[in-house]
Amino acid sequence: MSMTLDELPAVAECSVSGCSYNDHSHCHAAAVTIAGVVGDAECATFIPLGTRGGLDKVVTHVGACQRSECVHNESLECTAASVRIGAGADSADCLTYESA
C-alpha cells in the first residue's frame, strides 16, 4: 500500500474544543496520529494548551494509526474515507475506530 499525503483519510470533524489544533470543529494539525490501547483509539495529537497551533487552512489527514485491530487499518495506515475525532474514553478519540 503506497499513498501520498493527499490520499490519506481526512479528519472530517473534531469536536474536542480544548485542543490547540481545533478551530471551530476543524483540525488544523498537518496530520494526526491515532494511538491508545486495544478498544480505545486515542488521538495522540491532542494538545490541551492555551496556545493555538497548526496550519492556516484545514488540510489535516491521518498520518499514522497504531490501532492494528481496527477494521480501517491496513499496514498501520487508515483506509477509512475520513475520520471524526471527539470525546470518547479519553478527551480526544478517533470516533471512526471500529474493532475487527
Side-chain angles (χ1 to χ4, degrees):
M1 181 163 145
S2 177
M3 293 192 295
T4 66
L5 180 61
D6 289 334
E7 295 169 315
L8 294 173
V11 176
E13 173 190 353
C14 177
S15 59
V16 183
S17 60
C19 182
S20 293
Y21 290 113
N22 190 325
D23 185 14
H24 298 91
S25 295
H26 297 288
C27 183
H28 284 258
V32 298
T33 297
I34 306 302
V37 296
V38 174
D40 178 28
E42 177 184 8
C43 178
T45 309
F46 171 72
I47 298 177
L49 300 176
T51 304
R52 288 281 161 220
L55 306 171
D56 290 338
K57 61 182 183 173
V58 179
V59 294
T60 309
H61 294 87
V62 179
C65 180
Q66 300 173 5
R67 302 296 4 115
S68 60
E69 76 284 353
C70 180
V71 299
H72 302 292
N73 191 313
E74 183 178 315
S75 300
L76 300 179
E77 298 291 336
C78 183
T79 61
S82 64
V83 300
R84 293 174 34 253
I85 306 296
D90 300 293
S91 297
D93 280 353
C94 176
L95 302 178
T96 309
Y97 169 83
E98 194 176 330
S99 184

